[in-house]
Structure formats: C-alpha cells, structure tokens
Amino acid sequence: MTVLPPWKPLWTCKDASIPKLMNLRKGSKANLRVPATFWLYAATFAEGKIDPPSSLPSWPLIVRSASPTEDTRTTSNAGQLYSEVVPVEDDFDSAVRRVLSALPKDRNGKPRGAVFVQSVCTGTEGAGIAFFDGFYYERTLAAGGNATLTSGQERGDVSRGAIQRSDAWSDWLASVWSVFGLEAGGDACLDIEFVRDAEGFILLQVRPALFELKRNESLSLANHKEILGDSPSPWIVSVLVRAGADALKFFAAADPEVATWNEAYAVELAGRAWMNVGFFFRLMDRWGMPRTMVLDGVGGKAECAADARWFPKRLMRSFPKILRLQWSSVRTIAETRRGFQEMDRRLAISNQIEALFETHVALMAFALRTNFAINGALVALIRIRRRLGISGAAEIVTRQMMAEYDAIPHTGSDGAIEQALEGWLGRHGHRGPLESDPARPRFAEMREMLLADLVSRSQYDAGPAPNRARLWTVWRPFFWLDQRREWFRDALMRRWQVLRARLLHEGERLVAEGKLETAEDIFYLRESDLKDPATFGAAVRRNRANFEMHRALPMPLAATRDEILALLSDRRGKAVDPAAAQRTFAGIALSPAVMEGRVVKAESLLELLARSNADPTLLSGDTILVVPCLEPSWAIVFPRVGGVAAEIGGELSHAAILLREARRPAIVNCAGLFASVKEGDRIRLDGLLQCAALL
C-alpha cells in the first residue's frame, strides 16, 4: 500500500502554477486572516485510505480543488471545478476522491494541480462574496457560510457602493487590494470570498474577476442643475457625457493610473447629466487629500469626520503628481486665449449637424479642462482667504453685467430705455438664463421681454444700490482667479451663442428638407440619433416624450446610481397598464443593457445542445435563452445567444459571474417566467427596469 505523505501547511506552497493556493499564501504572508490550510499535489494521491490533516481536528472540514486552469488573469473557471464540505471523518476519503476526479488530467491521465483542506469558517456576523476594483464594490452577505450564495440558491443582502473613510469593511477591502490589486490591473477587479466574525474579516478565496463590476457611483447634479436647468436638452446631455470622458485626461496626464480607472465625469440618468463625484473622492483618497476639498467645490455634505482628513504619507508619495497637475493647471489657464482661437477655427468650418456636434464636444471638453484647472486652484485659494480672514469680492464680468442692467434708466422716454438696452445687449447679449444649454435663448433673443421688464420697472422705486465692501489693493491678487474664471465663462458663452445660431440655421435647413418640424427640434437629438437623417423626426418625438417624463420626475441633488434607478423604476412601474403587468416579470438584472429577442426554452443543457445540433439556426444573436435555473456548465452556450433569463438565481452566483464575463444581457430571479412564455415568443430584457417582458 502506498503511504500518503503528510499534508503540507500553506506556507510551503511556492508553486506559481497553482494560483488559488498561492493567493491564499500571499494573503497570509501579508497578515490577512486566512483559514488554516493544508495541501498536497493531486498526483501524490494513490490507493489507500486518505486521512485528514492532524492539525485540523475540528469538523466539518472543506476539501477544495486547486487547478492550474483556475483563478488566472485569462481563465477563471469560477465554480466549474469541485469543492465539498465533509461533516464527519468517515466521509473524508471519499470526498477527496471526488474532488480529485473533477480536476483536469495530464496526458497520462493523472490529475493536475492540488487538493487542499480547511476548517469550515462560519461567520458570526455573516459571510459573502464581493467584487472590488480598488474603489467600487459589489457585495452579497448572508448569515452563516457562503455556500448557498456561490451556488445561487440564495441571493443574500446585496449592496453596491464605494469605499468610505473610517469604515471597517472599506479598510479591509483596501488591504486586500494592496496585496492583489496590482496583479488584477486597473481595468479588472477582484472576486473575493470572505467570512466575518467578532475579530474581523477572514479571506477564504481571492481571484481575478474577468469582467467589470456594476458600479454604484456617488452622483450629484452639483452646478449642472444650476447652469443647464432641469431637465436639460437631450443635445447638451449627450455632449456633456461624451466630452467628460476626454476631459478626465487632464488628471491622467499628471497621474497615469487614473486612465486605468475607466471613470466617467458625467453619467446620464433620468434625462440629466450627473457629475460623478465618486471619481474625485477616489482621486483625493489616492493623493492623501481631504474629500471635503471636492465638496467645497461642488457642494454636498461629508459622510464622516474622516472626509476632512489629510494622509501625509500618501500626500508625500503623490507630491510629484500634484506638482505636475499644478503645472498643467498653470499652462491650461495661460493658454485659454490660444484655446479659444482653435475653437473659433472649428466653429468657422462646422456647418452640418454631425460636425457641429463634434465641435460642441470639443468646446465642452476644453471648457471642462479649463474649469478643472481654475477650480482646483480656486478651492485651495478660498481656503487660504478663509484662513487669513480676507473679505471682499472681485470685480467680475457677471457682476458688471448685472450692475449695468440695473443702471439702465428707470424713468424717461421709451426711446432712452431702448437705446440703453441696445447698448447693454451689445455687451452682454450672448449671455442668458441657463446659458450653458444651447437650447436656451440668449438675452439678445429676449429683447422684447427685457424691454417690458425695464418699462415696468420704472413704475416703482428700486431702492438704493447695494453697498459693496471695497477690496483693498493689497488683497486683489487673492481674487484674480475669480476674475479669470468669470472672464473665461463669458468668453465661452460668446462661442456658445455662435454655436446656437449655427445649430438653429442647420435646423432650418433640415426643416426645409422635411427632416424636422421646427428648427428647435435639433436640440432634441442625441449623438446616437445623428447617423440617419431619415429617422430625425422619430428620434425627436421619442426624445421629447422622454424629456417630458423625466422633467416631471423630481430628482435629489445627490444620490447613488442605484437610488436614481430605483426612482426611475418606481415611476415607470406606475405607468404600466394592469393587463400588461401580467406579462412583465421582475427580476435581478446583471447589467443595465436592454435587448429584445426570440425565446428559446430549455430545461437542461443537454436538451438544448441536442436541439441546436439538429437545428443550427436555433441559437443566434437574436435568441434569448429562457431556463428554470442556471449552473456554470451553461456557459458554453452563452456566447451563442443574445441574452438569458432565468426563474431563479442570484446576481453574484457563479453562473451570473460567467454571464457577465461573457458580456451577455441577463435577468435572473424572474419567478413564473419559464411557464408563462412559449417557444418563439418575443421578449424584452430591460436591465434598467430589472424585468423581462413579453412583447
């Protein structure tokens, strides 16, 4: 009889071909808590009784596989091998044999990789699975262990968010990322299994997750609501979202890692462009600076006192990056006139709608970069002024505009008032209410309204002019940036006025061609609508209807993505006809994608493969596979279908993970769906509303 060598402790594993064990060893070496682990190469096992490690006397134990093909940067095999919980010692030998049989074999038929044994960890405060990309996380948490979560039998308590300061969960995630994050890469995330007991978190397993997680960003309307209105035109929302991605390169030039975050400056939801303040929080955390510096700039309330903290060590490491950013800011501010010259050149040659959109995107990106440069320095300057007790205000162009309007005579002949108004419009007619949206008219287009205001104003006493504190000459340099920012905005709005005129002229041309009903309809077009002029009319009607719906839906000034989607879902749900509601099945969306397709029903993978072999046209990009439930082996057909809907399952189960790796739209947990649909039905998967609906 072959004598089995003694089980080896985890620290002896130094074989890079077994990533699962090496990851545990690496975590343990970095002082992360991991279960006591003992292992042996799979090829070591032979005939004869297999005894458990003597150093693990407590039961139950868990026997797990460690294959060379799993937990790598290119292959996950999540849930596709085998693990088994062993309640008593008599079952240990047979359990190990089953785990061995599931491992891949070499050319000689011997199992590859290793088998390892641990005590089963049951968390007194729960166990779960998390996906984490260094800042954002998705987590499902349940009482006891996490076996039911990984199998999809239980959904658990699912939450999404970003790491917070002075938070035990966030601190632990950050410590795991500090060990494994660099290997995951900036465009990837970690798949983490954990247990939490009274002493803290225990790392059960960590692997690269081969997909991007669903982020739940912290969003704010910030000054967007102030300058664009509520709701802004579809045109400007589309422009802002597109330009925001380019504008963040301003920060990536100072810190190249920022480019790997795949963050957005603006996120479109509920017909609005929300500022992604989460990006700026992430940047502050990386550079060791207070998050309140962001809140000071855009408004908002700190989550905790730690949001005002500096982190000196991080700040020192980031000091060269911050210096590069400051130098870039100085250059950007100094080159604004040259930037305007380039924008003027582009405006001069832009006529048709697609070229005008691209020019507007370039203008917006230029505006965002310049505002980043000015506002970043201005936030620091405001703190200095506050610390030094400097009061007063700068003589900015906007104040001049208002002062000059106020100075137009209240009394006298109508001709005198008109003449004064004409002079004011010559200087400031390019400005206007909600002027950052080119769909809004400028003051120059509101002459009659302004004149009526001035004439009516002459009928009452406006009172004395406000007394403004005089700014001492010695303090003027502390207010130069305020003046520069307002000068920049004023100059920018001059280009916006030209752009608006060009867009309306193009709108008139499209009206003459029968593509639009009114010239102003051009502002109800989005970037995705511009390719085919024949569809402009339908796109305008659709976008206008959405605009009216979203405008009637009040939105908070700040919320997370999930909170906004929940508000949208509630609103739209109320509008569903009762008869149609019977054809709609609420579930859990694995992505925000929306897809329509033809139903193919299957109760087992083998049945589906047999049918597909007999009919090669059965599965296609138009197919939505509807099944009672999923397990990982279904992954072999995911690339051949357009989407998947299942009656049961959780978004963080292994089958769900694989669907997301395959990047297929999917809705799971749709109770009653399988029995209600027929083969060949048309069905819609709506990731935003988190439902499947018969068409």
Side-chain angles (χ1 to χ4, degrees), residues 188-442:
C189 65
L190 297 176
D191 176 352
I192 304 166
E193 295 182 22
F194 65 92
V195 163
R196 185 175 187 180
D197 61 17
E199 297 180 30
F201 294 94
I202 303 172
L203 180 67
L204 300 181
Q205 187 167 308
V206 58
R207 61 165 71 92
L210 306 185
F211 55 84
E212 294 182 9
L213 57 75
K214 289 197 294 184
R215 294 175 172 177
N216 186 23
E217 302 99 325
S218 296
L219 305 176
S220 173
L221 287 177
N223 65 335
H224 292 175
K225 186 173 181 177
E226 298 171 359
I227 65 175
L228 298 177
D230 196 35
S231 295
S233 68
W235 175 278
I236 192 63
V237 171
S238 189
V239 166
L240 186 54
V241 170
R242 164 82 180 281
D246 179 71
L248 291 188
K249 295 177 183 177
F250 177 78
F251 300 99
D255 188 347
E257 183 173 319
V258 172
T260 70
W261 292 352
N262 294 322
E263 289 272 18
Y265 164 74
V267 175
E268 181 178 356
L269 286 172
R272 298 151 171 95
W274 300 73
M275 180 187 294
N276 178 15
V277 294
F279 163 77
F280 296 99
F281 289 162
R282 187 175 190 176
L283 193 66
M284 295 298 98
D285 289 355
R286 174 168 169 77
W287 288 354
M289 301 169 72
R291 288 187 176 189
T292 49
M293 290 191 72
V294 178
L295 299 174
D296 286 348
V298 303
K301 185 179 179 181
E303 292 287 335
C304 62
D307 284 345
R309 282 183 57 196
W310 294 82
F311 295 88
K313 290 183 179 179
R314 292 188 214 169
L315 185 64
M316 290 301 295
R317 289 196 300 267
S318 301
F319 197 66
K321 304 180 183 69
I322 297 172
L323 283 179
R324 284 198 296 270
L325 183 70
Q326 292 304 316
W327 173 241
S328 178
S329 296
V330 170
R331 290 178 53 192
T332 299
I333 295 170
E335 293 174 357
T336 49
R337 294 185 186 278
R338 185 183 304 173
F340 277 131
Q341 291 173 358
E342 171 60 19
M343 294 302 109
D344 290 341
R345 185 193 67 79
R346 293 195 62 157
L347 276 170
I349 61 176
S350 300
N351 293 306
Q352 294 190 339
I353 189 167
E354 286 188 274
L356 285 167
F357 183 87
E358 294 299 327
T359 296
H360 198 174
V361 168
L363 262 171
M364 181 65 78
F366 167 61
L368 290 173
R369 289 193 302 270
T370 306
N371 279 319
F372 291 156
I374 295 175
N375 291 342
L378 191 57
V379 167
L381 188 58
I382 289 171
R383 287 180 167 230
I384 293 172
R385 292 197 307 231
R386 192 180 301 146
R387 182 66 61 88
L388 296 177
I390 301 173
S391 60
E395 288 298 322
I396 57 177
V397 65
T398 312
R399 175 174 290 180
Q400 293 169 2
M401 178 179 70
M402 294 296 101
E404 289 176 17
Y405 185 78
D406 187 60
I408 294 176
H410 294 186
T411 58
S413 66
D414 290 348
I417 297 177
E418 288 186 30
Q419 184 177 2
L421 176 60
E422 289 299 330
W424 184 85
L425 289 175
R427 295 185 297 276
H428 306 294
H430 57 285
R431 306 299 294 267
L434 302 174
E435 59 193 0
S436 291
D437 188 344
R440 306 281 184 167
R442 313 290 106 171

Side-chain angles (χ1 to χ4, degrees), residues 486-504:
E486 293 307 310
W487 167 84
F488 175 76
R489 179 170 182 78
D490 189 73
L492 189 67
M493 288 304 106
R494 292 185 186 277
R495 278 74 183 179
W496 243 246
Q497 183 187 37
V498 174
L499 181 67
R500 172 175 164 80
R502 292 289 179 87
L503 284 167
L504 288 172

Side-chain angles (χ1 to χ4, degrees), residues 12-282:
T12 64
C13 182
K14 300 179 181 179
D15 189 341
S17 71
I18 313 176
K20 183 181 286 187
L21 277 174
M22 288 296 288
N23 285 343
L24 284 175
R25 178 181 181 271
K26 187 174 182 180
S28 177
K29 195 173 180 180
N31 294 321
L32 295 172
R33 292 176 67 203
V34 302
T37 303
F38 294 85
W39 68 285
L40 280 173
Y41 282 113
T44 304
F45 293 92
E47 296 298 327
K49 185 173 182 296
I50 303 175
D51 294 319
S54 58
S55 299
L56 290 176
S58 61
W59 296 87
L61 302 178
I62 184 168
V63 183
R64 311 185 75 170
S65 60
S67 167
T69 63
E70 63 181 332
D71 298 355
T72 74
R73 284 288 291 121
T74 57
T75 58
S76 171
N77 292 158
Q80 297 184 54
L81 293 168
Y82 189 66
S83 298
E84 183 171 334
V85 175
V86 186
V88 295
E89 185 171 356
D90 289 346
D91 297 335
F92 185 79
D93 180 273
S94 58
V96 173
R97 300 293 179 189
R98 286 189 288 272
V99 171
L100 282 168
S101 65
L103 283 167
K105 307 298 189 293
D106 63 19
R107 64 181 62 185
N108 298 317
K110 291 187 175 182
R112 299 170 59 201
V115 173
F116 64 101
V117 184
Q118 299 170 319
S119 294
V120 173
C121 295
T122 301
T124 56
E125 299 183 37
I129 304 165
F131 305 115
F132 183 57
D133 70 356
F135 189 73
Y136 298 100
Y137 68 82
E138 296 181 65
R139 178 184 66 187
T140 180
L141 190 67
N146 64 352
T148 56
L149 294 174
T150 58
S151 64
Q153 300 172 40
E154 183 178 351
R155 184 187 183 197
D157 178 18
V158 177
S159 61
R160 298 181 180 88
I163 59 175
Q164 302 296 322
R165 295 188 176 182
S166 294
D167 171 67
W169 166 247
S170 298
D171 292 343
W172 184 73
L173 281 179
S175 65
V176 174
W177 185 262
S178 69
V179 179
F180 300 100
L182 292 178
E183 293 183 2
D187 60 345
C189 65
L190 297 176
D191 176 352
I192 304 166
E193 295 182 22
F194 65 92
V195 163
R196 185 175 187 180
D197 61 17
E199 297 180 30
F201 294 94
I202 303 172
L203 180 67
L204 300 181
Q205 187 167 308
V206 58
R207 61 165 71 92
L210 306 185
F211 55 84
E212 294 182 9
L213 57 75
K214 289 197 294 184
R215 294 175 172 177
N216 186 23
E217 302 99 325
S218 296
L219 305 176
S220 173
L221 287 177
N223 65 335
H224 292 175
K225 186 173 181 177
E226 298 171 359
I227 65 175
L228 298 177
D230 196 35
S231 295
S233 68
W235 175 278
I236 192 63
V237 171
S238 189
V239 166
L240 186 54
V241 170
R242 164 82 180 281
D246 179 71
L248 291 188
K249 295 177 183 177
F250 177 78
F251 300 99
D255 188 347
E257 183 173 319
V258 172
T260 70
W261 292 352
N262 294 322
E263 289 272 18
Y265 164 74
V267 175
E268 181 178 356
L269 286 172
R272 298 151 171 95
W274 300 73
M275 180 187 294
N276 178 15
V277 294
F279 163 77
F280 296 99
F281 289 162
R282 187 175 190 176

Side-chain angles (χ1 to χ4, degrees), residues 297-629:
V298 303
K301 185 179 179 181
E303 292 287 335
C304 62
D307 284 345
R309 282 183 57 196
W310 294 82
F311 295 88
K313 290 183 179 179
R314 292 188 214 169
L315 185 64
M316 290 301 295
R317 289 196 300 267
S318 301
F319 197 66
K321 304 180 183 69
I322 297 172
L323 283 179
R324 284 198 296 270
L325 183 70
Q326 292 304 316
W327 173 241
S328 178
S329 296
V330 170
R331 290 178 53 192
T332 299
I333 295 170
E335 293 174 357
T336 49
R337 294 185 186 278
R338 185 183 304 173
F340 277 131
Q341 291 173 358
E342 171 60 19
M343 294 302 109
D344 290 341
R345 185 193 67 79
R346 293 195 62 157
L347 276 170
I349 61 176
S350 300
N351 293 306
Q352 294 190 339
I353 189 167
E354 286 188 274
L356 285 167
F357 183 87
E358 294 299 327
T359 296
H360 198 174
V361 168
L363 262 171
M364 181 65 78
F366 167 61
L368 290 173
R369 289 193 302 270
T370 306
N371 279 319
F372 291 156
I374 295 175
N375 291 342
L378 191 57
V379 167
L381 188 58
I382 289 171
R383 287 180 167 230
I384 293 172
R385 292 197 307 231
R386 192 180 301 146
R387 182 66 61 88
L388 296 177
I390 301 173
S391 60
E395 288 298 322
I396 57 177
V397 65
T398 312
R399 175 174 290 180
Q400 293 169 2
M401 178 179 70
M402 294 296 101
E404 289 176 17
Y405 185 78
D406 187 60
I408 294 176
H410 294 186
T411 58
S413 66
D414 290 348
I417 297 177
E418 288 186 30
Q419 184 177 2
L421 176 60
E422 289 299 330
W424 184 85
L425 289 175
R427 295 185 297 276
H428 306 294
H430 57 285
R431 306 299 294 267
L434 302 174
E435 59 193 0
S436 291
D437 188 344
R440 306 281 184 167
R442 313 290 106 171
F443 285 137
E445 302 168 63
M446 302 165 61
R447 182 181 179 280
E448 296 305 318
M449 181 185 298
L450 294 174
L451 182 60
D453 172 66
L454 291 169
V455 171
S456 65
R457 194 178 61 174
S458 66
Q459 299 174 9
Y460 65 88
D461 183 8
N467 182 26
R468 298 189 178 96
R470 184 178 180 183
L471 186 65
W472 291 3
T473 303
V474 69
W475 297 131
R476 289 189 185 278
F478 287 92
F479 290 86
W480 178 82
L481 268 179
D482 304 67
Q483 294 175 302
R484 186 69 175 184
R485 181 179 64 175
E486 293 307 310
W487 167 84
F488 175 76
R489 179 170 182 78
D490 189 73
L492 189 67
M493 288 304 106
R494 292 185 186 277
R495 278 74 183 179
W496 243 246
Q497 183 187 37
V498 174
L499 181 67
R500 172 175 164 80
R502 292 289 179 87
L503 284 167
L504 288 172
H505 185 269
E506 174 68 356
E508 291 169 356
R509 183 185 71 81
L510 293 168
V511 169
E513 294 180 359
K515 304 294 193 307
L516 295 177
E517 293 183 6
T518 69
E520 287 77 10
D521 282 349
I522 198 168
F523 299 115
Y524 285 90
L525 293 172
R526 303 164 46 79
E527 181 181 16
S528 57
D529 304 323
L530 303 184
K531 297 298 182 184
D532 185 3
T535 65
F536 281 2
V540 167
R541 290 189 291 275
R542 180 180 65 250
N543 293 340
R544 191 184 289 273
N546 286 333
F547 175 85
E548 295 298 333
M549 178 186 69
H550 291 139
R551 185 169 61 174
L553 181 61
M555 282 284 134
L557 288 176
T560 65
R561 178 191 286 267
D562 284 358
E563 288 169 342
I564 298 166
L565 289 176
L567 288 171
L568 278 174
S569 180
D570 289 345
R571 171 72 181 201
R572 293 177 180 175
K574 294 175 184 176
V576 175
D577 182 80
Q582 299 175 8
R583 300 168 60 84
T584 301
F585 303 85
I588 301 168
L590 303 184
S591 78
V594 178
M595 180 207 172
E596 295 178 6
R598 170 181 54 88
V599 168
V600 171
K601 295 176 64 175
E603 294 195 58
S604 75
L605 176 63
L606 294 179
E607 169 213 333
L608 180 65
L609 292 176
R611 291 175 57 202
S612 178
N613 291 338
D615 179 8
T617 66
L618 181 70
L619 304 180
S620 68
D622 185 53
T623 298
I624 293 181
L625 178 62
V626 179
V627 298
C629 60

